[in-house]
């Protein structure tokens, strides 16, 4: 696999957590974004319009965010105005949706260092307008060659490691996939080279961005473990303190790392000196000698980085109400679980005049699909995933017949049997697998260009701050994605677990970058952070938009609930206020989502083609501070 910094040919076919109010770059830094992007232009570009500025949280010059933008020539929605602006400038200067998505992702690595970094991974679904086809690019981290099924079992006790100890450790660090995914994405679909797309992020990292309350609070949440890791403390606790709101945070180490990547290519990361530094950091976490924290060494070796490859996969596909819904296949469970739930819901009429009944079916379909997810879905390169049967109409009918219109099934429900032989109904069982923990700290972005290409991209380092381990002198945190594996093999006699750790195996994810087509053309693109709630958030937005007749801004901002085959339905308080009584009458037990952050489920971004050429980009208006939607040419 060649990882050179050379410019790709456009025709060459070939790789959490919350979304929040983004730290704003200082005005000077923001102004340099457009200037730095002049190198991207294959043709002379028109002068960029003046930057929109305003005041937020008392900081003059901070970019104004808008949750909805409608217009022509391309659109973008991310959690961060700096990332959205970066993507927009790429589009204005002739780059396509994939170029813009990568540039935005690199910028998020600066402004969103606790959820998005080159020390992590992610998934992209992409619509190629020229070929009228959807592609799926898997940049999920994989485990080191030395990882075994019981690597998270403490040999001294025979029990799984405490979760917090697994998180803050080298043991939880997977081989990062982001850069390999970017390389694959640009080689197959891009028109700009990685070095050019990194330049805006380099400028922001050098000049800094203004710390907002969210960045301050997330740092404070991590303060104790950041203090125990020397390079993390030096970077994220400058002067030994949590950065104050209104101060300017700079990351010259990351700027230099990006410069070196632009010059040397990604081979430096996977096969060269930086890869050696990463492996050494994982094997010997740079813990303060005076710390009492038990930060276990990891199993990663340099050869694990050299062996990593991002993978192009066939996306999942299900028809729904005359539309075609495409998602991410295993190693993600997003496409299969969203798809199965939609197939189940396709057996029922959902009426906007009776939202309680529609939401009852949504919760019950989610419950059944999650049971099957836990039993059957893992890394399809390592385990046999019956994907075709999980997404078959026959299996969906068999599962749908278990749903009662006026009564919620006690959860957890048992998984079904996707064996190709389907009866009208199957009896409910008593055993199912416990819901594995997935941190909700992720981020998602969507981009469409003037040619009609569309990228839906979810990226993550797992927890806020990932493993808390910073590669010394390199300016980025390493992930803790391997804690998405099941920690302990099942007891004798129990069903096998498809999500146990294993050598070079990718942990199961819930990331669900989703594309919806109508008559072969893009209609919707969406995704969200939220760990295992990602699937239900995407599913609920689709139900809101397609079945309940909401426009996309309303569908995305509507109050949410998540049912993941657990005894309780967790929901946002406005959802409980509006629908709780009617759903409780059918046996659903609702409680406020515990977070983090408490009471808030997801932070989605999406876009919709309203008619040929006219695109509406949508971000959260309030959740986790809201997001940033922009278009190249706003509609009047």
């Amino acid at each position: 696999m060649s990882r050179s910094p050379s410019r790709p040919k456009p025709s060459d076919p070939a790789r959490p957590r919350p979304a929040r109010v983004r730290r704003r770059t200082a005005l000077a830094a923001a102004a340099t974004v457009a200037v730095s992007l002049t190198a991207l232009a294959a043709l002379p570009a028109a002068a960029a319009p003046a930057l929109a500025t305003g005041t937020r949280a008392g900081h003059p010059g901070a970019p104004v965010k808008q949750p909805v933008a409608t217009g022509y020539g391309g659109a973008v929605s991310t959690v961060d105005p700096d990332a959205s602006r970066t993507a927009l400038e790429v589009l204005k200067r002739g780059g396509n949706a994939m170029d813009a998505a990568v540039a935005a992702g690199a910028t998020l690595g600066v402004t969103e260092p606790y959820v998005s970094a080159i020390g992590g991974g992610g998934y992209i679904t992409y619509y190629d307008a020229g070929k009228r086809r959807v592609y799926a690019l898997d940049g999920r981290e994989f485990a080191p060659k030395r990882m075994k099924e019981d690597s998270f079992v403490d040999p001294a006790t025979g029990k799984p490691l405490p979760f917090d100890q697994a998180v803050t450790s080298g043991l939880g660090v997977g081989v990062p996939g982001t850069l390999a995914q970017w390389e694959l994405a640009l080689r197959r679909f891009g028109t700009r080279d990685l070095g050019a797309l990194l330049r805006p992020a380099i400028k922001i990292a050098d000049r800094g961005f203004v710390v907002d309350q969210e960045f301050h609070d997330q740092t404070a949440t991590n303060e104790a473990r950041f203090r125990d890791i020397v390079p993390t403390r030096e970077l994220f606790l400058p002067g030994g303190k949590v950065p104050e709101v209104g101060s300017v945070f700079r990351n010259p180490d990351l700027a230099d790392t990006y410069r070196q990547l632009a010059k040397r290519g990604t081979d430096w990361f996977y096969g060269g000196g930086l890869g050696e530094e990463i492996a050494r950091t994982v094997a010997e976490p740079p813990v303060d000698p005076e710390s009492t924290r038990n930060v276990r060494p990891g199993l990663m070796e340099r050869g694990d980085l050299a062996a990593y490859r991002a993978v192009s996969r066939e996306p999942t596909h299900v028809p729904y109400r005359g539309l075609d819904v495409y998602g991410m296949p295993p190693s993600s469970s997003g496409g299969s679980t969203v798809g199965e739930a939609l197939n189940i819901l396709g057996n029922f009429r959902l009426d906007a005049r009776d939202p309680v009944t529609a939401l009852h079916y949504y919760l019950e379909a989610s419950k059944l699909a999650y049971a099957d997810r836990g039993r059957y879905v893992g890394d399809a390169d390592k385990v046999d995933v019956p994907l075709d049967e999980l997404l078959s109409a026959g299996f969906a009918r068999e599962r749908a017949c278990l749903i009662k219109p006026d009564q919620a099934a006690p959860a957890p429900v048992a998984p079904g049997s996707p064996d190709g032989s389907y009866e009208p109904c199957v009896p409910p069982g008593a055993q199912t697998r416990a819901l594995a923990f997935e941190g909700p700290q992720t981020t998602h972005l969507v981009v469409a260009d003037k040619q009609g290409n569309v990228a839906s991209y979810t990226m993550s380092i797992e927890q806020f701050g990932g493993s808390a381990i910073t590669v010394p002198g390199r300016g980025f945190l390493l992930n803790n994605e391997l804690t998405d594996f099941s920690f302990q093999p099942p007891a004798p006699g129990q069903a096998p677990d498809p999500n146990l750790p294993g050598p070079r195996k990718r942990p199961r994810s819930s990331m669900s970058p989703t594309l919806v087509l109508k008559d072969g053309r893009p209609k919707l693109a969406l995704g969200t952070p939220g760990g295992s709630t990602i699937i239900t958030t995407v599913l609920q937005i689709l139900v809101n938009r397609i079945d309940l007749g909401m426009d996309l801004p309303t569908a995305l901002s509507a109050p949410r609930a998540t049912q993941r085959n657990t005894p309780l339905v967790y929901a946002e308080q406005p959802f409980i206020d509006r629908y709780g009584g009617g759903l409780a009458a059918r046996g659903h037990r609702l409680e406020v989502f515990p977070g983090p952050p408490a009471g808030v489920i997801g932070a989605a971004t999406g876009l919709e083609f309203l008619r040929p050429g006219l695109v509406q980009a949508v971000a959260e208006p309030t959740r986790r501070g809201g997001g940033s939607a922009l278009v190249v040419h706003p509609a009047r």
Side-chain angles (χ1 to χ4, degrees):
M1 179 178 180
S2 172
R3 298 187 176 101
S4 74
S6 61
R7 190 180 190 86
K9 298 178 181 179
S11 60
D12 185 15
R15 224 178 174 77
R17 332 257 232 243
R20 322 170 299 278
V21 171
R22 301 308 87 164
R23 277 74 55 205
R24 304 293 163 257
T25 53
L27 183 58
T32 64
V33 173
V35 175
S36 68
L37 277 158
T38 58
L40 295 171
L43 299 172
L51 298 178
T53 61
T55 301
R56 182 172 181 84
H59 304 310
V64 171
K65 293 187 303 179
Q66 56 184 14
V68 181
T70 305
Y72 303 88
V76 57
S77 178
T78 82
V79 298
D80 175 39
D82 297 314
S84 293
R85 181 184 294 108
T86 294
L88 196 71
E89 294 298 337
V90 172
L91 296 176
K92 288 179 177 179
R93 285 168 167 76
N96 69 12
M98 190 63 85
D99 300 324
V102 169
T107 299
L108 288 169
V110 178
T111 60
E112 292 288 315
Y114 302 150
V115 301
S116 174
I118 57 173
Y123 299 97
I124 300 172
T125 53
Y126 188 74
Y127 177 80
D128 185 325
K131 296 182 178 178
R132 297 186 66 175
R133 181 179 170 187
V134 177
Y135 297 83
L137 303 181
D138 184 339
R140 180 67 157 166
E141 303 87 341
F142 70 27
K145 186 177 181 179
R146 292 192 292 151
M147 179 152 274
K148 301 177 181 178
E149 286 190 351
D150 60 355
S151 289
F152 285 106
V153 175
D154 188 340
T157 65
K159 297 180 179 179
L161 295 175
F163 185 74
D164 61 336
Q165 292 185 25
V167 168
T168 309
S169 76
L171 193 62
V173 180
V175 177
T178 292
L179 282 167
Q181 185 182 40
W182 288 354
E183 181 189 50
L184 175 62
L186 294 175
R187 186 172 72 246
R188 294 201 63 183
F189 305 110
T191 67
R192 303 292 188 263
D193 65 64
L194 179 60
L197 297 173
L198 289 173
R199 287 180 190 135
I202 291 170
K203 293 288 186 180
I204 296 171
D206 270 333
R207 301 200 180 194
F209 54 84
V210 176
V211 172
D212 68 6
Q213 190 66 49
E214 188 68 28
F215 184 84
H216 170 89
D217 292 347
Q218 288 185 16
T219 309
T221 298
N222 280 293
E223 181 179 3
R225 64 187 193 128
F226 280 9
R227 285 195 183 281
D228 290 339
I229 312 294
V230 175
T232 307
R233 179 178 67 212
E234 292 173 347
L235 176 59
F236 294 110
L237 300 174
K241 298 180 181 179
V242 175
E244 294 183 1
V245 175
S247 64
V248 176
F249 185 87
R250 297 180 176 88
N251 193 341
D253 286 347
L254 182 58
D256 182 65
T257 298
Y258 277 180
R259 286 191 188 95
Q260 294 299 317
L261 286 166
K263 178 181 179 180
R264 303 185 188 196
T266 60
D267 270 338
W268 180 53
F269 188 98
Y270 289 101
L274 182 53
E276 185 174 353
E277 293 175 35
I278 292 169
R280 182 169 60 248
T281 301
V282 172
E284 302 173 7
V287 183
D288 188 325
E290 297 184 2
S291 171
T292 59
R293 187 182 300 274
N294 183 6
V295 182
R296 288 175 169 80
L299 303 173
M300 191 185 301
E301 298 175 339
R302 184 173 177 178
D304 294 311
L305 285 106
Y308 185 86
R309 298 291 184 272
V311 183
S312 180
R313 302 190 188 278
E314 188 70 22
T316 61
H317 167 234
V318 298
Y320 188 69
R321 317 288 195 202
L323 302 170
D324 293 285
V325 181
Y326 291 87
M328 198 70 212
S331 57
S332 178
S333 63
S336 63
T337 312
V338 170
E340 180 186 343
L342 288 174
N343 281 342
I344 293 170
L345 289 172
N347 289 276
F348 303 99
R349 179 184 178 188
L350 306 185
D351 192 335
R353 295 169 297 181
D354 186 5
V356 170
T357 296
L359 290 168
H360 166 73
Y361 284 123
Y362 152 69
L363 295 172
E364 293 299 279
S366 299
K367 187 183 299 178
L368 294 165
Y370 264 84
D372 299 325
R373 167 190 179 271
R375 171 62 183 86
Y376 297 110
V377 181
D379 182 355
D381 292 338
K382 301 295 183 179
V383 297
D384 183 16
V385 179
L387 185 60
D388 290 344
E389 293 302 327
L390 286 171
L391 294 177
S392 69
F395 184 60
R397 284 194 299 272
E398 187 174 79
R399 298 299 271 159
C401 74
L402 297 176
I403 298 177
K404 298 179 180 180
D406 57 355
Q407 183 179 347
V413 299
S417 298
D419 54 11
S421 177
Y422 302 119
E423 300 294 332
C425 282
V426 292
Q431 292 186 345
T432 188
R433 198 175 311 284
L435 183 68
F437 183 85
E438 293 179 65
Q441 296 78 12
T442 309
T443 191
H444 184 82
L445 63 91
V446 289
V447 185
D449 61 31
K450 63 183 179 182
Q451 289 83 22
N453 302 300
V454 183
S456 185
Y457 180 17
T458 312
M459 66 203 86
S460 177
I461 61 172
E462 224 282 340
Q463 294 284 290
F464 283 137
S467 64
I469 300 172
T470 298
V471 181
R474 296 303 178 189
F476 64 91
L477 288 155
L478 293 170
N479 68 84
N480 66 288
E481 296 287 2
L482 301 189
T483 61
D484 282 352
F485 281 125
S486 302
F487 275 23
Q488 190 172 32
Q494 289 188 345
D497 187 337
N499 192 42
L500 289 173
R504 306 273 165 86
K505 185 177 181 180
R506 290 171 164 87
R508 181 175 59 213
S509 171
S510 294
M511 288 185 253
S512 306
T514 301
L515 295 174
V516 180
L517 274 58
K518 182 177 183 180
D519 300 325
R521 302 287 187 182
K523 176 64 176 174
L524 299 166
L526 70 153
T528 183
S532 60
T533 70
I534 289 173
I535 292 165
T536 54
T537 295
V538 168
L539 180 61
Q540 188 176 355
I541 293 172
L542 290 174
V543 169
N544 287 345
R545 177 68 190 91
I546 299 168
D547 292 297
L548 300 186
M550 302 178 191
D551 60 19
L552 186 58
T554 306
L556 193 144
S557 63
R560 295 177 186 144
T562 180
Q563 168 51 268
R564 293 161 289 162
N565 199 25
T566 57
L568 296 176
V569 174
Y570 289 105
E572 296 172 332
Q573 186 62 54
F575 183 96
I576 296 174
D577 294 341
R578 189 177 303 178
Y579 306 114
L583 291 171
R586 302 184 190 214
H588 297 279
R589 298 165 55 200
L590 283 76
E591 286 193 6
V592 174
F593 181 67
V600 178
I601 300 174
T605 56
L607 61 82
E608 179 173 356
F609 287 83
L610 301 178
R611 61 176 184 266
L614 182 64
V615 185
Q616 184 175 70
V618 183
E620 296 282 3
T622 57
R623 285 185 184 92
R624 304 185 191 178
S628 173
L630 297 172
V631 293
V632 174
H633 301 296
R636 295 181 179 179

